Structure formats: structure tokens, C-alpha cells
Amino acid sequence: MSKRFVSIGECMIEMSGGEDRQYRLGYAGDTLNTAWYMRALLEPDWSVDYFTALGEDRYSADIRAFLEQHRIGTKHIGTIKNRRPGLYLIHQEGGDRHFTYWRDQSAARLLAEDKGALHVALEGASMVYFSGITLAILQPRARGRLLGAVVVAREAGATVVFDTNLRPALWTSQRVMASMLTAAASLCDIVLPTHGDEAPVFGDRSVEETAERYLELGVGEVVVKDGGNPALVATATERVKVAPPPAGSVVDATGAGDSFNGAYLSARLAGKGLQEAAEAAHRVAGIVIGQKGALVDPALLS
């Protein structure tokens, strides 16, 4: 069996900090963050590839170099003329983080334009990962192309994983968002929703209701995250609730859910059971929230 993980989505330029109007440039994005933690936690014989689209500008080149430096494959990243990476700025206000985005001309919005390249990128993958944000930034027909490629990969033997990652501001309406995410989840083997995001949209009164809704779609394994509360891992025959360890100081919660996903999935690929995988996921997320930025030094995770 091939050992290849492919993550699909948008890598953005991140400007963080903001003290005295001084910002630090980095790179992040939900699906990139998860790929980062998969690369850090999987055995070396696994390959981790990132599928997106970038431009021809210096920052696109820098992103490619950054990924390659950290052993994340860039072979299938598309190049879109006259487009650039999206950008977001994090600033602190009232004790909380606020995000401002510039992504209208993001090259990643066109990542699914070339149907052939999309299918080639997923060929031979043993696990394919994407998110609700991946779908949200695409035009409707491109969403169809992406989901079609995901179905082909699944039929060829890939495990397909979906983090619903609801971002209402990226969608034309809540109805479109809910229906699209539900349709996508029905094509997947593992779904990783966050209860606090799902409840206002779907009316879930508990993590159990969130899990059951996805199980009824035919999803084989559902991991419901719930912030600092216990996560629920559910299959058709098993329910496991796993509480996080006692929390230390929270420095920056950016990327916590994405790191949880990466740690959970890498543990499952290593043959760990539901309980042990969720425990590993909580442990890694706990480390990440104690550091600045979405991508922490892999040496801190061992």
C-alpha cells in the first residue's frame, strides 16, 4: 500500500503580532496546518503533499520553498498567472484575536480549474484531506470538480477525510453552506466537525447529535471537537469520549483544531485505536496553544 497523504486547500500569507504595529510574516491555512502536523508526526516513509494553486510572484515562490524545506511535497501545486497568495492579518483587541482577510485574488480559488491535474494530484493517495474552507473559496462548478476527484480517489482505495470548518462569511448563504458541507461529508470516510461551529447552523444540542447527524450520512468515523471539553469519537459500533489533559496557559489558539486533526489522523494511520488517537490529538493541540502561531516546531511534539 502506498503511504501518501494529500491535503487540498489554501496556503495564505499570515501577518501576526501587531505590537507597536510590528508584524511577523509567516504562512498558514487550515489544510496546510494539518499537513504540517501530519509531516511532523507520521513515520519518515510517508510522503505528505500539499495541493493548491499559487502565482508567479516572489511570495508564491517563498511558499513553495518553505514547503519543500519542511518536506511537504509541492509537485502538484498549480501556477496561475496574475494571481497571488491570499493574505490575512491577526490583531489583538479586547483580549481576543481578530482576523482581516485579503483573498479575493487568491490563486488558490482556482485550484480545481484543471480537472486533469486535480485527478493526477490525488492518484495513488492513501489518504486525501480537505475542508469546508477548501470548498468555500471555489466557484460552484469547481466544487463539483473537486468532489468528483475525491470520489475517484476514494474508489481507488484512498481514505477521504473532511473537516467541515464552517466559515459563514465565505459562503453566499448559510443554506448553501449547510447543504454543500452535508453533501461533501456524505462522500467521506472520516469527518472532523467542531460542535460549537455546527450547533448554530444545524441545531445540534450536543456533541452526540453532531456525531449522529454525520453517521446517518454514512460516514464511518466522526470525531467531534468541542474546544476544551471532551471530544467524541463515534462509529456505527463504538462511542468514545476523551477529555483533554489539564490546560496550561493559552498563548495562541490559532491552528489548535488543525493540529488536533493531524495528530488524530497520524495516530490512526499508525494503527492506534480511537481512544489512543484522540488522546494524542489532545496532547498535541495542548502544545500548540501554548506557542505563538499555527505551526510550531516539530521538535516540541516528540
Side-chain angles (χ1 to χ4, degrees):
M1 179 184 120
S2 69
K3 291 187 174 183
R4 180 169 177 253
F5 175 85
V6 182
S7 187
I8 309 168
E10 180 179 29
C11 175
M12 303 183 73
I13 299 167
E14 176 190 79
M15 303 298 293
S16 61
E19 298 84 6
D20 299 322
R21 296 186 179 273
Q22 300 296 309
Y23 286 86
R24 182 178 62 255
L25 186 150
Y27 306 112
D30 65 330
T31 52
L32 171 63
N33 301 342
T34 297
W36 175 273
Y37 292 102
M38 292 296 281
R39 178 66 286 164
L41 296 165
L42 283 171
E43 292 296 323
D45 59 343
W46 276 85
S47 64
V48 174
D49 289 343
Y50 195 59
F51 181 73
T52 188
L54 294 167
E56 298 176 312
D57 58 293
R58 62 167 294 179
Y59 295 104
S60 293
D62 286 349
I63 288 172
R64 288 177 187 269
F66 172 79
L67 296 175
E68 289 165 3
Q69 177 188 350
H70 293 284
R71 299 183 299 119
I72 297 173
T74 62
K75 178 181 177 182
H76 298 289
I77 292 178
T79 301
I80 310 294
K81 290 185 177 181
N82 303 316
R83 292 280 183 132
R84 294 179 175 83
L87 178 148
Y88 69 95
L89 184 148
I90 307 173
H91 65 278
Q92 299 284 339
E93 185 176 308
D96 199 4
R97 296 171 305 135
H98 296 265
F99 296 81
T100 304
Y101 292 89
W102 293 266
R103 72 196 320 169
D104 289 350
Q105 292 302 307
S106 166
R109 287 183 172 271
L110 303 178
L111 66 83
E113 292 303 297
D114 186 333
K115 183 177 179 180
L118 182 57
H119 283 270
V120 169
L122 302 188
E123 190 174 0
S126 41
M127 180 173 279
V128 174
Y129 178 87
F130 68 111
S131 77
I133 294 177
T134 310
L135 293 174
I137 65 172
L138 303 178
Q139 292 299 312
R141 290 185 67 181
R143 291 172 193 153
R145 280 192 290 273
L146 174 60
L147 293 179
V150 163
V151 168
V152 170
R154 189 184 187 197
E155 290 173 346
T159 298
V160 176
V161 185
F162 182 49
D163 181 346
T164 52
N165 218 345
L166 281 75
R167 294 293 184 273
L170 293 176
W171 295 88
T172 54
S173 73
Q174 184 167 291
R175 180 188 60 81
V176 170
M177 177 180 69
S179 61
M180 193 70 230
L181 298 183
T182 299
S186 72
L187 306 175
C188 298
D189 301 289
I190 303 174
V191 174
L192 299 148
T194 298
H195 174 66
D197 294 342
E198 304 263 327
V201 176
F202 295 102
D204 302 335
R205 292 167 295 182
S206 64
V207 291
E208 287 80 7
E209 286 193 4
T210 300
E212 192 59 39
R213 182 164 46 80
Y214 287 109
L215 291 172
E216 287 178 356
L217 295 175
V219 178
E221 186 170 325
V222 182
V223 187
V224 186
K225 295 162 286 181
D226 194 20
N229 299 315
L232 173 65
V233 187
T235 69
T237 59
E238 194 172 355
R239 298 284 191 283
V240 178
K241 262 194 172 181
V242 182
S249 60
V250 178
V251 174
D252 184 354
T254 306
D258 305 325
S259 68
F260 181 103
N261 295 352
Y264 180 84
L265 295 171
S266 61
R268 293 292 283 145
L269 288 172
K272 306 297 184 185
L274 304 182
Q275 174 92 23
E276 195 173 354
E279 288 171 352
H282 276 312
R283 182 186 68 81
V284 169
I287 295 169
V288 171
I289 63 175
Q291 306 291 320
K292 282 190 175 181
L295 309 180
V296 309
D297 184 345
L300 296 173
L301 307 178
S302 58

